[in-house]
Amino acid sequence: MAGINVAKNLLTLIMSLCIYVSSLCQDVKTFEVDYLLSRKSTKIDSSKVHEIFKLFVNEDHSIFISKRKIENDSIRENLKMTKGFGTSNNISLYSFEETVLYKYPDNQVSLYMHIPHSPIGYNEKAPLDWKLLNDTKLVNNIVLNSAEIVFGGRKWHAWYSKEYSINEGPYKFKNLPGLIFEIYDAEKIFSFKLIKIKNSNSVFNYNYKMFLITSKDKCLDVVDTYINNPAPQLTKIFTQESRDRIKKNSIEKNKNKYHIEKDFEY
């Protein structure tokens, strides 16, 4: 029943398109943007799952993070709990969160993986090879222009607004001549839609000092290790049979899981 209510709320959110564009001023440098991510559940289940992500933008950088991650961290802080496995009922043993930090001066994207007990990340340049198209459409009296890009092994189609001179968007999708309102891949596995934007008087901060910054290849190795042993701290108290079952479940779950970048698919 809770899942049905969530789906109804999300549908209402999309239908109403609560985009507070009237409150935006050109001289304001700090924004908070909400995106609704809709994606196929798994490679064997075509039903859609939905999640809200927040994009915090200021003068020199932006942070893209799931709303659920923010809420879970707040719960941990309030309950004086440590980060990692077992700190929230909303965290799965077989998954982890990701956060994207984007710095404007050098076009650097940093992907932080909140892997329990192994927080890790890497830096790279945000993709630049967009192909601008002539297609336009009107959404809530806002003219959207279209563009395409091949990124992460997928072809993506984006709709952006030149009326908002923020060269920003969800995940690592940056560098268009305006704010991205919608972006989806050709297979319609992933779709981000802007549902809300507002001025913000404060800057969202996150402590990334705990993360080991390394290469993307090393991150892939750490992800592989985590998939094969998602609860290393419980090794001593689990039986071999239990450990084997956890490993099997983790591998099966990740074998059927989509990722925005195919490099990270198991």
Side-chain angles (χ1 to χ4, degrees):
M1 184 64 68
I4 295 175
N5 290 334
V6 169
K8 287 182 178 179
N9 290 338
L10 291 174
L11 180 60
T12 302
L13 203 57
I14 298 172
M15 295 298 292
S16 62
L17 276 176
C18 300
I19 305 172
Y20 300 121
V21 293
S22 61
S23 66
L24 282 174
C25 302
Q26 292 300 318
D27 58 343
V28 176
K29 300 298 183 182
T30 305
F31 303 92
E32 183 178 324
V33 187
D34 285 4
Y35 285 98
L36 177 65
L37 168 63
S38 300
R39 62 174 176 82
K40 287 185 179 179
S41 180
T42 68
K43 294 178 181 179
I44 57 176
D45 181 1
S46 60
S47 64
K48 294 284 187 175
V49 295
H50 310 280
E51 185 174 359
I52 293 176
F53 282 77
K54 302 186 78 69
L55 176 68
F56 298 93
V57 182
N58 65 25
E59 291 181 291
D60 59 5
H61 75 276
S62 67
I63 295 176
F64 183 73
I65 185 171
S66 76
K67 182 180 179 182
R68 180 180 59 183
K69 171 65 178 170
I70 297 173
E71 292 170 345
N72 284 343
D73 284 352
S74 178
I75 292 172
R76 295 189 191 100
E77 183 66 23
N78 291 337
L79 297 178
K80 306 298 183 181
M81 301 173 78
T82 58
K83 295 178 184 287
F85 171 75
T87 59
S88 170
N89 292 331
N90 294 323
I91 295 179
S92 169
L93 177 64
Y94 305 116
S95 64
F96 54 88
E97 305 280 358
E98 297 174 349
T99 301
V100 177
L101 173 67
Y102 178 51
K103 295 182 179 178
Y104 302 138
D106 52 5
N107 191 43
Q108 177 178 284
V109 170
S110 300
L111 182 72
Y112 296 98
M113 297 181 171
H114 304 266
I115 299 177
H117 302 281
S118 301
I120 196 168
Y122 67 91
N123 302 324
E124 66 179 6
K125 296 296 183 181
L128 292 167
D129 48 344
W130 288 97
K131 179 182 179 182
L132 302 184
L133 306 176
N134 295 322
D135 301 335
T136 61
K137 66 179 181 180
L138 194 65
V139 175
N140 280 28
N141 294 319
I142 300 172
V143 177
L144 301 182
N145 298 81
S146 60
E148 291 180 343
I149 194 170
V150 175
F151 170 76
R154 305 183 191 280
K155 185 175 182 180
W156 299 84
H157 191 102
W159 292 94
Y160 65 97
S161 171
K162 294 181 180 178
E163 296 178 35
Y164 300 92
S165 55
I166 313 170
N167 308 123
E168 272 287 358
Y171 194 61
K172 298 179 182 178
F173 299 110
K174 318 292 180 180
N175 294 313
L176 277 172
L179 178 65
I180 294 177
F181 272 55
E182 182 179 355
I183 185 166
Y184 50 84
D185 69 287
E187 299 174 89
K188 302 295 178 66
I189 297 172
F190 296 93
S191 173
F192 288 98
K193 288 187 177 181
L194 189 155
I195 56 175
K196 181 179 177 181
I197 179 170
K198 66 178 183 179
N199 296 335
S200 177
N201 295 324
S202 60
V203 177
F204 178 83
N205 292 309
Y206 196 89
N207 181 12
Y208 294 102
K209 293 180 180 179
M210 72 185 81
F211 289 81
L212 171 65
I213 303 302
T214 183
S215 67
K216 185 174 184 178
D217 287 341
K218 177 62 177 177
C219 283
L220 290 170
D221 291 339
V222 172
V223 170
D224 184 74
T225 299
Y226 178 68
I227 290 172
N228 282 275
N229 186 15
Q233 73 279 19
L234 298 181
T235 298
K236 293 182 179 180
I237 62 175
F238 276 16
T239 65
Q240 184 62 50
E241 181 181 0
S242 296
R243 294 198 297 271
D244 291 343
R245 184 171 61 252
I246 290 173
K247 178 179 179 178
K248 180 181 179 180
N249 290 342
S250 179
I251 291 175
E252 286 300 314
K253 179 180 176 64
N254 284 278
K255 276 172 56 179
N256 294 314
K257 184 179 178 181
Y258 287 109
H259 196 282
I260 292 176
E261 298 180 62
K262 288 188 176 182
D263 286 349
F264 286 97
E265 292 187 3
Y266 188 74

